[in-house]
Amino acid sequence: MDDARAAKVRLGRALVPPARWGLWRQGPRVVGYCLLTEAVAVVLALRPVPQPADRRMLLVLGALLLLGVAQAETGRRVERNQRRMSAAPHINMTSAWTFAGVLLLPPLLLAALVGGLYLHLALRSWFRLRRVPAWRTVSNAAIILLSCYAAQGVLRLTGVEDVRAAIARGWGGASAVVAAALTFFLVNALLVLPARREVGRTPLALFGTWSDNGLELTTLCLGALNAVTLVTLPGLTALVLPPVLLLHRTVLVKQLEVAAHRDEKTGLYNAGGWRELAERTLRDARRRATSFGLLMLDLDHFKQVNDTYGHLAGDAVLHAVAHTITSAVRGRADAVGRFGGEEFVVLLPGLAHPETAAVAERIRNAVSTLTVPVGQLPITGLSVSIGIATYPKAGTSLKRLLDAADTALYHAKATGRNKVVHAADLT
């Protein structure tokens, strides 16, 4: 049996039609972690506290729920557009209300606030999109609640019971509130990681961009101001809504700008976005007299996946391969793009022949060991052929470099697939 036929047989045996995505299909690690965090959140919410909830606290809970629901309803179209554009995690602005709850509410009422806000988001903003299954909504709410309790714990350690005590202590109280906000931010970022099925290796993949984190910190600041307003001048609390909505829309504008240069299925650069970045890299290399590498990759026997098992399985494979390629390069220093179909390109600034070959082999090995969970059985037996070209040896224009890499790729596929060929070796 030749190599091509053997690869098809392995794929045929491994693939099954895709099934609905649920918690029990996320693997034992994710399932166990989600159940554990939810159980801990419930136990902490029900723990006895010295001061029971009174009528004033119930009014605060109602005000925060009302404001949070009003903000979610007003920004519902923005939230849906964010989810439609990308399934990637993003800031949903609830911290403006939940962190205010940290500073004002006891544990049980805080749990009611978080649960109410996330239930409303799930039913009104996410349900029709089918991109946020119920188990993920519950898990996200539990993680937010644990972050809230961690922030309250820091307040208690500093001797500050709530925002009123913080106001009375002046700068000491302000420092306690800042420490609580930073604790909320850090605990939330760390608790989210184990709940992901796939965890990136770069700081960007793990924790998001600087702007994402800045937005979360901004909403926490608004939450603190919200709490202060509720205990001093409650009528001004509604003034928090306009800046929250403006921030929400600003995030959407940024996502639209990014989406114009991104491939929807994989999240990589699309052809236009990658070419724009490659032309910029080429100009820099000319000015500084440096080198850079260019990889062109093609997934072997990909048509077999789509023809036999449908495009949903094919999309899952493309997404997994894209993630694998991105994990094998140098993070934000390199640019990974999708040219269409099963063809990918990688830009490697500052690298010459030996280094580019090492990166290409790392990618090829990673794809060959890749397991893509689709349905009951995983997809295995994947492979990729790679062509390499380096500037300036293979060409001094982007077109010549792409042609050289494409020629090397064609040679790799024509001579057995699942291999790396450098354009310099063909001359």
Side-chain angles (χ1 to χ4, degrees):
M1 183 181 294
D2 60 26
D3 292 341
R5 187 179 176 191
K8 290 183 178 181
V9 169
R10 288 195 300 272
L11 282 171
R13 289 174 178 171
L15 282 169
V16 295
R20 188 174 179 179
W21 189 27
L23 173 60
W24 305 112
R25 301 188 186 281
Q26 301 310 299
R29 177 183 62 82
V30 174
V31 172
Y33 181 76
C34 289
L35 294 178
L36 175 63
T37 53
E38 290 157 16
V40 173
V42 170
V43 170
L44 293 178
L46 297 177
R47 72 187 188 276
V49 294
Q51 184 180 5
D54 55 21
R55 181 174 178 274
R56 176 180 53 81
M57 292 180 181
L58 291 174
L59 289 175
V60 169
L61 170 63
L64 290 175
L65 275 174
L66 181 63
L67 289 167
V69 168
Q71 176 258 313
E73 282 293 321
T74 310
R76 185 156 55 97
R77 181 169 295 182
V78 176
E79 177 72 17
R80 285 186 173 183
N81 286 337
Q82 285 183 272
R83 289 285 178 180
R84 285 192 181 100
M85 288 165 53
S86 174
H90 65 271
I91 307 302
N92 59 31
M93 317 302 288
T94 56
S95 299
W97 321 111
T98 57
F99 188 66
V102 168
L103 301 174
L104 294 168
L105 298 175
L108 186 58
L109 294 189
L110 185 54
L113 173 64
V114 173
L117 292 177
Y118 271 80
L119 178 62
H120 177 265
L121 279 173
L123 295 177
R124 294 288 291 165
S125 296
W126 301 337
F127 177 73
R128 293 181 182 276
L129 295 179
R130 302 182 183 278
R131 289 198 175 188
V132 187
W135 73 265
R136 185 173 292 278
T137 299
V138 174
S139 177
N140 288 341
I143 288 173
I144 290 294
L145 189 56
L146 291 176
S147 303
C148 290
Y149 290 154
Q152 282 190 333
V154 169
L155 287 175
R156 303 297 183 268
L157 287 175
T158 59
V160 175
E161 289 297 321
D162 55 21
V163 72
R164 292 179 181 81
I167 293 173
R169 292 182 56 178
W171 285 107
S175 300
V177 171
V178 170
L182 292 176
T183 300
F184 181 103
F185 175 80
L186 292 173
V187 170
N188 183 40
L190 294 174
L191 287 178
V192 166
L193 296 181
R196 299 180 188 173
R197 187 168 189 170
E198 294 181 351
V199 180
R201 299 190 304 182
T202 66
L204 178 64
L206 290 172
F207 302 108
T209 65
W210 285 107
S211 59
D212 291 335
N213 292 309
L215 178 63
E216 175 67 6
L217 289 171
T218 301
T219 59
L220 289 170
C221 292
L222 288 173
L225 295 176
N226 201 3
V228 172
T229 304
L230 276 169
V231 300
T232 55
L233 294 171
L236 296 180
T237 306
L239 295 181
V240 176
L241 274 175
V244 171
L245 293 173
L246 182 60
L247 281 172
H248 209 176
R249 291 183 180 275
T250 301
V251 172
L252 179 61
V253 170
K254 178 191 171 186
Q255 279 196 315
L256 288 170
E257 293 174 350
V258 172
H261 294 85
R262 292 287 179 176
D263 173 64
E264 183 179 1
K265 288 184 179 180
T266 62
L268 303 177
Y269 285 102
N270 59 24
W274 187 89
R275 284 178 182 274
E276 182 179 321
L277 189 59
E279 290 285 3
R280 192 184 314 150
T281 302
L282 178 60
R283 290 193 296 270
D284 290 343
R286 285 172 179 167
R287 186 176 66 255
R288 300 176 183 177
T290 57
S291 179
F292 68 87
L294 189 155
L295 310 182
M296 187 168 286
L297 308 86
D298 191 85
L299 193 59
D300 300 327
H301 306 296
F302 180 69
K303 190 173 184 296
Q304 173 75 12
V305 178
N306 280 335
D307 288 350
T308 307
Y309 301 99
H311 290 278
L312 290 179
D315 289 349
V317 170
L318 288 175
H319 188 273
V321 170
H323 176 78
T324 301
I325 296 172
T326 304
S327 299
V329 298
R330 299 172 298 172
R332 300 185 71 177
D334 303 326
V336 184
R338 180 180 175 225
F339 262 26
E342 65 271 27
E343 192 171 61
F344 301 87
V345 282
V346 181
L347 191 66
L348 304 170
L351 298 189
H353 185 349
E355 294 88 356
T356 55
V359 174
E361 282 293 344
R362 187 161 65 243
I363 293 172
R364 188 190 65 80
N365 287 328
V367 172
S368 67
T369 60
L370 181 63
T371 297
V372 183
V374 176
Q376 298 295 330
L377 296 175
I379 299 175
T380 58
L382 297 169
S383 66
V384 66
S385 300
I386 305 176
I388 306 176
T390 54
Y391 172 87
K393 187 172 183 180
T396 55
S397 69
L398 183 58
K399 183 180 184 305
R400 289 189 177 182
L401 288 168
L402 286 170
D403 288 343
D406 187 56
T407 300
L409 171 62
Y410 178 81
H411 186 80
K413 296 187 78 69
T415 56
R417 295 183 171 88
N418 193 23
K419 63 169 57 177
V420 174
V421 175
H422 201 292
D425 297 332
L426 303 179
T427 57

